Each structure stands twice: as C-alpha cells, then as structure tokens.
Amino acid sequence: MTALTLSTAGAATLRADALVVGVAKGAKGPVVAPGAEAVDKAFDGKLATVLETLGASGAEGEVTKLPAPAGLKVPVVIAVGLGSVPEKDAAFDAEALRRAAGSASRALAGSKKAGFALPVTSVEDAEAVAEGALLGAYAFTVYQGGENKLASKDKKNGNGPKPPLAEVALLGAKPRDKAFKAAAERAVAVVEEINRARDLINTPPNDLYPESFAAVATAAGKEHGIKVQVFDEKALVKGGFGGLLGVGQGSTHGPRLVKLAYTHPKAEKTLALVGKGITYDSGGISLKPAGHNETMKCDMSGAAAVFATVVAAARLGLQVNVTGWLALAENMPSGNATRPGDVLRMYSGKTVEVLNTDAEGRLVLADALTRASEEKPDAIVDVATLTGAMVLALGHRTFGIMANDDAFRTSIHEIAEEVGEASWPMPLPADLRKGMDSPTADIANMGERMGGGLVAGLFLKEFVGEGIAWAHLDIAGPAFHEGAPYGYTPKGGTGSAVRTLVKLAERTATGDLG
C-alpha cells in the first residue's frame, strides 16, 4: 500500500521524485490551478504557455510531464488535467480532484515519492486528493515479476511491472489540524479496504474459492475485532440453505455462508450487507457462451465489497453495528450440478424452479437475505454483479439501485453521487413479477427477458423480511474494468460500491440519511 503523508513543505521546497500540479481547461487555453503558484513562479509565470505549447489543454485525465526548472527541489513536474475551470468562486469538484490525483499516481509508477500540489481549499478536497492518489497507485502484481527460468539464473526478467508509487506527500493540507489528520486516516483506511476488495476480485479462481475466501475473512476478523461465523456445507444442509447448496453442488469446492459482525457498544442502529460471492461462474449446466467466461472470477465482487466495508467500519470505529453476509459458491457444470427444471427449497421455505442455472446469483442472495432478515436489522443492502441486463441499461461505469423504499433508494443514490460512484435509481415494476410464476414451484428464477435486471430485483425482494428497508445494488457494469485504466480506476477489479457502503454506514451511525 502506498504511504500517505501530510507535508509541511511548500511546493518549492519539497524534495521528491516529482511534483504534481493541476491544470484546468479554460476558454482560451490551459489555466494553472490553485496550489501550483510556486511552480508557476519557477517557470517565470509561463507554465500555462509551456503546457499549451506541448499540446496540453487541461482536459480531464490529461497528464503532461515537464523537466523542473531551477527554483524547485524536484526533477520533474507533472501537470494533470482537472477538466473545465469552475464557475466564479466555485471550487473544483471532489471527483475531478480524485480522478486527477489517480491519473498522476498511475503515471508515477516506479517512483519513490511524489508531492501533490492540487487545489485543496477544504478538508473534503484533501480527502478527495488522498483517495484518488492512493487508489490510482494500486497494482496487482502477485502473479507477476517472477524470474525467467530460461534466462541466466543470476538475472531477473526485466519485463516485469513497475511497482506502484511508494509515497504520496499531500501539500496544501494542514498537518497539525485534527480534521485534516482524520480525513487522511479515513482515506487510508477506506482505500486499503477497497484495494483489499480489488485483490480478491483479481485473484484467479484456482486460488480463490468459497473455502479460501472464508479463510481470508476469518483472518481479517481476528485482526480487526470482527466476529466471524462460517457456515460450511454440513451447516448449510442442516439449516436448509437450498439456494446456496443448489448453486454450489456442481463444484468440488463446496459453498459457504460467512457472517461478519462488527458491533459498537454505543450503536443504536444495525445495517446488514449481503454480497454475492460466486467465486467463479461458468453458468453451470446453462453454460455461458464463448467469450463470456474469461472474466467470471469477478462474480464475487459484491461479497468483496461487503467484506471490505465491514472491515473499514471496524477500522474507523463507526458507531453503528454492521453485519456482512458473504454468500459464497462456485457455479460449475458436472454430474452433480443443478439442472434447468430442478426445484430448490430455499432457506425461507419457498420453492424455486430453476429455469436457468446461470441465474444463480439471485439464488445464493435469496438465502442470505432471508438469514439476514431474521436478525431484524434497520436496513439491508445487497450488492451483486447480478445481471448483464443492467450493463445494457446503464453501461460499464454506473450501477443500478432498486429498493422497497423510495426514500432509502434516494438516500443511497445521493450518497453514491457524493462519494463519486456513478449510480442510477431503478424501479421495481409490479407487472414484471407475473413472469416468474411457476406451475411447479412458488416462484421461478427467471421471468421476462426484457427488464431482466428489474426482474432479478423483484425476485430478491421476495426474500426480504417484512418491515425492513432494503436496497439492491447491481454493480455488474462497474465492478470489473476490462479497458485501459483511467483516473483512479485500474484494469481489473475496481472495488465498486465500497465507498458508497462506507458512507452509508457513517450516515446510519449519525442518523443523517436525509
């Protein structure tokens, strides 16, 4: 993990490998952003002119490297685009700062220390820059950089990835101010847990399966004072968890249900989080077509997000009880696998006719939602890479929010937008429920093809306890990024929804949900 320090040095006196400054897109060309005054002075007031000559415009995500002039203690200046200049007297948007810092961090891979002199006018700005810089510095290199056995034994293969930026020195914050210190500590805790989620998502399925995921959760629980309970196959059979067992029965790696309970002695509210944890999804007997299997290690992203959030809540000492439920299974085809046409008896007692074994996430979530409801939490939020239909509806960067309470859905949407996670409220049309009627069972796991993401939400709603506010986050789009990195978003697992869930836990603790 990249280190974060609140520097007492100024931009002109900081000793580091590079100094990051902001540049905005003005009406007549690039404009040097606040925080870079000393750097602009070192360029004789012509930094914007130099950047324009080099083709820089200040557009979001644009990175321009310059040799530092005399007067600075760093050898390199990195100007990163912040997007359009804000309207008069307005500050730069926190997400613009977050993305700019992330772009700069990625460009600084291999460096030991960099100063970030981006516009910081508030505690919130400082936290946004810190988050972006730390998130952008992420790299998953566990399976890379080994020695080339065909090369000389005393020479390592020089084609390995560069290590991430080792230290972020944040300028413009107030190192001795308690609020700035707390913001920096929060940024580190939240980002470390997001990166923990990213690591899990990126881990190949031959190493991450239900039992090994449960072991990771158990170890983290011991470290952070979280009570962990693991329901193995025997416990699931005894408890009647037909959804988890039905999805997992085709694999040699049996399913698990993991409960993580963080409690605070002064807590007045309890938030339950339920995560879909399909550690690999082949589709089962309803096998996925060619081209759709390669990234299915990411189908446990919801469980990773829930796990990371519970640990973050514990690290931050939030005055709220947060219980995480990880519904873990591997969906594989075999002679033991559930078949289309089979009927499963769920933990709730309801029976489900399985029409498509690739609609498995809703089955494991249903069992976990029922079990979570038994503890009567004040609210339940489930998180899942649930449907391709949601990707078709909202694209690859936005997750959908469904709920049984409009006000709760609105609150989550507002929180997500505040922390910089693109989301959109979605309906649960009652007319779509009829499509899941089954002549054999209480309900089928499939309904109408059109509006498939909403159909999945309606299915889950059936398994939420009465009187409990519930929301469903379908993160199928943003959970795993297959394209080139941008901003603070890496290739691979993103840790989608963690920031939203952590902020939701904080708001639940303070009673400030709007």
Side-chain angles (χ1 to χ4, degrees):
M1 175 72 183
T2 301
L4 174 69
T5 57
L6 301 183
S7 179
T8 56
T13 58
L14 179 74
R15 294 184 181 277
D17 296 318
L19 184 64
V20 177
V21 298
V23 56
K25 189 174 183 179
K28 297 182 180 180
V31 177
V32 177
E37 292 83 0
V39 178
D40 191 31
K41 183 179 179 180
F43 277 91
D44 296 325
K46 297 179 180 179
L47 177 55
T49 302
V50 173
L51 288 170
E52 187 171 23
T53 301
L54 294 174
S57 66
E60 182 181 302
E62 186 179 73
V63 175
T64 307
K65 293 185 179 182
L66 302 166
L72 299 180
K73 302 294 185 182
V74 296
V76 176
V77 171
I78 291 185
V80 61
L82 291 163
S84 299
V85 175
E87 295 182 7
K88 189 177 181 181
D89 299 326
F92 282 93
D93 177 76
E95 180 63 5
L97 295 175
R98 202 178 281 116
R99 289 180 180 177
S103 294
S105 279
R106 288 192 295 103
L108 286 161
S111 300
K112 292 183 178 180
K113 179 179 179 179
F116 282 69
L118 294 172
V120 173
T121 60
S122 65
V123 171
E124 291 73 22
D125 290 345
E127 186 170 353
V129 173
E131 281 184 351
L134 295 175
L135 286 169
Y138 173 81
F140 185 70
T141 59
V142 176
Y143 294 85
Q144 297 175 328
E147 188 168 345
N148 183 352
K149 292 181 180 179
L150 298 178
S152 172
K153 290 184 178 181
D154 60 351
K155 289 184 180 181
K156 287 192 174 182
N157 182 357
N159 296 322
K162 291 181 180 179
L165 171 64
E167 181 183 347
V168 169
L170 182 58
L171 280 64
K174 299 175 182 178
R176 296 181 181 85
D177 186 292
K178 289 184 179 179
F180 280 91
K181 283 183 179 179
E185 290 171 358
R186 181 188 183 280
V188 169
V190 172
V191 172
E192 284 186 351
E193 295 315 314
I194 291 172
N195 287 344
R196 186 200 295 267
R198 289 171 167 181
D199 283 349
L200 286 167
I201 297 164
N202 290 328
T203 299
N206 57 317
D207 282 344
L208 188 74
Y209 41 88
E211 186 178 4
S212 62
F213 196 153
V216 171
T218 300
K222 290 179 180 178
E223 180 181 357
H224 297 287
I226 299 167
K227 186 177 180 181
V228 180
Q229 183 179 4
V230 179
F231 297 79
D232 61 13
E233 286 173 278
K234 288 183 179 180
L236 294 175
V237 170
K238 185 177 180 180
F241 290 87
L244 275 156
L245 291 165
V247 173
Q249 71 187 41
S251 173
T252 55
H253 298 297
R256 297 288 187 275
L257 177 63
V258 180
K259 176 186 177 184
L260 302 103
Y262 160 69
T263 57
H264 191 285
K266 296 182 179 179
E268 297 181 357
K269 298 283 186 179
T270 297
L271 176 65
L273 306 175
V274 176
K276 174 187 173 183
I278 303 299
T279 56
Y280 181 74
D281 183 19
S282 69
I285 296 296
S286 305
L287 193 67
K288 291 180 182 292
H292 290 73
N293 282 290
E294 290 78 3
T295 61
M296 281 300 103
K297 65 181 181 180
C298 79
D299 213 18
M300 36 59 66
S301 295
V306 166
F307 172 40
T309 301
V310 177
V311 178
R315 292 181 60 175
L316 296 172
L318 301 185
Q319 195 169 310
V320 59
N321 297 328
V322 183
T323 304
W325 297 89
L326 314 182
L328 308 176
E330 187 176 66
N331 188 24
M332 296 291 286
S334 75
N336 291 327
T338 292
R339 295 151 293 218
D342 283 356
V343 174
L344 305 178
R345 185 170 294 279
M346 311 296 283
Y347 179 72
S348 68
K350 287 184 179 181
T351 54
V352 176
E353 182 181 9
V354 179
L355 298 180
N356 187 323
T357 63
D358 196 24
E360 85 300 327
R362 64 199 70 183
L363 298 174
V364 300
L365 287 173
D367 274 354
L369 284 168
T370 304
R371 181 64 182 84
S373 296
E374 286 183 340
E375 300 193 353
K376 305 295 183 185
D378 294 284
I380 299 176
V381 180
D382 76 71
V383 193
T385 48
L386 204 60
T387 65
M390 196 57 58
V391 185
L392 290 173
L394 299 177
H396 289 285
R397 297 190 183 187
T398 304
F399 62 75
I401 308 171
M402 285 154 263
N404 62 1
D405 181 285
D406 289 348
F408 190 44
R409 181 185 62 189
T410 298
S411 293
I412 293 176
H413 178 226
E414 291 174 348
I415 286 171
E417 295 297 307
E418 179 186 333
V419 301
E421 294 199 293
S423 67
W424 197 250
M426 303 291 282
L428 289 173
D431 62 284
L432 290 177
R433 169 60 182 84
K434 186 171 179 58
M436 290 184 284
D437 285 349
S438 166
T440 307
D442 295 321
I443 189 172
N445 76 329
M446 292 291 288
E448 294 183 31
R449 181 168 177 265
M450 299 303 173
L454 312 183
V455 170
L458 285 166
F459 180 90
L460 296 177
K461 184 182 177 183
E462 298 265 335
F463 297 88
V464 178
E466 274 190 53
I468 301 173
W470 158 79
H472 161 56
L473 311 187
D474 191 335
I475 61 170
F480 195 83
H481 179 57
E482 294 185 67
Y486 65 92
Y488 53 80
T489 301
K491 188 178 179 69
T494 65
S496 177
V498 174
R499 282 182 287 152
T500 297
L501 294 177
V502 171
K503 181 62 73 173
L504 175 63
E506 290 173 328
R507 293 282 176 83
T508 304
T510 59
D512 183 25
L513 275 177

